[in-house]
Amino acid sequence: MALRYIVKYGHPALRMKARQIETISASIRELAEDMIETMEVAEGIGLAAPQIAESKTLLVINAGLIEEDVPAKVYINPVILAEAGSISMEEGCLSIPDIREDVIRPEMIKIKYLDLEGGQHEEECNGMLARVLQHEVDHLNGLLFVDRISQIKRKLLSKKLKAIATQSKEETAQP
Ligand code: NI
């Protein structure tokens, strides 16, 4: 296992639509393990592959932070099939450090995905899990939570976001 570098706001990988996973190969399983380790060390509740600059529809959830003693969960090629309700919750993102904002999203979702063994799942969820999954699926589509806040709020954050993007450029330019 290896820790991976989490790219920050302004990095082009965060704006790309991730590529579907056709085969759950050994390298995909290794990538999932790396992502879980990276997420846990960063103390994040979720991590999507584009955040470590891998264009793949893969995300991991730190389920132990939602429900005690539950292992981290891997979602391959996740698709949200249905959604219901609407609720405001505060969100943050490992790729947008030190910024947290309230975001309105559906309260409940139905999601389908593959596990690491290729098993197909269809699940309904709500609460924190539904919230984190929607945030991470957004990453697979090149979307960030700051895209979902009001224009006024985003304008208020623009200086901070620019500073993150500038720092990110300097960091990734280093050898
Ligand atoms: Ni995020």
Side-chain angles (χ1 to χ4, degrees):
M1 290 205 286
L3 279 183
R4 307 285 291 255
Y5 181 74
I6 298 173
V7 301
K8 304 297 184 307
Y9 183 88
H11 193 289
L14 294 174
R15 290 306 189 183
M16 281 164 56
K17 205 169 154 50
R19 265 184 243 118
Q20 280 260 43
I21 293 170
E22 307 291 345
T23 318
I24 303 168
S25 58
S27 71
I28 291 293
R29 283 193 287 272
E30 202 180 304
L31 175 62
E33 277 181 23
D34 286 353
M35 283 173 61
I36 288 171
E37 194 187 0
T38 303
M39 168 181 69
E40 287 178 344
V41 168
E43 294 179 355
I45 197 163
L47 186 71
Q51 292 184 274
I52 56 161
E54 291 277 358
S55 183
K56 295 190 174 67
T57 51
L58 169 62
L59 63 90
V60 295
I61 300 285
N62 202 343
L65 291 183
I66 299 169
E67 207 179 326
E68 236 178 290
D69 298 325
V70 178
K73 222 173 146 182
V74 178
Y75 294 77
I76 296 168
N77 298 343
V79 177
I80 293 173
L81 300 171
E83 46 191 46
S86 171
I87 189 169
S88 176
M89 282 173 89
E90 198 183 60
E91 293 187 28
C93 180
L94 292 174
S95 295
I96 314 177
D98 303 323
I99 291 181
R100 298 191 67 84
E101 285 293 335
D102 287 328
V103 183
I104 300 166
R105 294 186 192 263
E107 192 174 1
M108 289 160 284
I109 59 163
K110 187 183 195 182
I111 190 166
K112 74 165 183 181
Y113 64 94
L114 301 176
D115 61 31
L116 274 178
E117 281 74 47
Q120 294 187 35
H121 300 264
E122 227 177 86
E123 285 168 13
E124 281 175 32
C125 53
N126 56 26
M128 183 62 84
L129 182 58
R131 175 55 56 130
V132 178
L133 282 171
Q134 290 176 85
H135 176 115
E136 302 308 334
V137 169
D138 265 1
H139 275 303
L140 305 181
N141 292 311
L143 287 170
L144 300 169
F145 82 91
V146 290
D147 303 332
R148 296 193 179 274
I149 61 177
S150 70
Q151 236 177 338
I152 295 165
K153 272 193 187 171
R154 199 160 47 240
K155 214 165 179 193
L156 289 171
L157 284 179
S158 65
K159 255 193 185 163
K160 272 190 181 174
L161 290 171
K162 249 186 209 153
I164 296 170
T166 306
Q167 206 193 338
S168 149
K169 238 187 198 161
E170 284 166 8
E171 275 179 29
T172 37
Q174 277 166 13

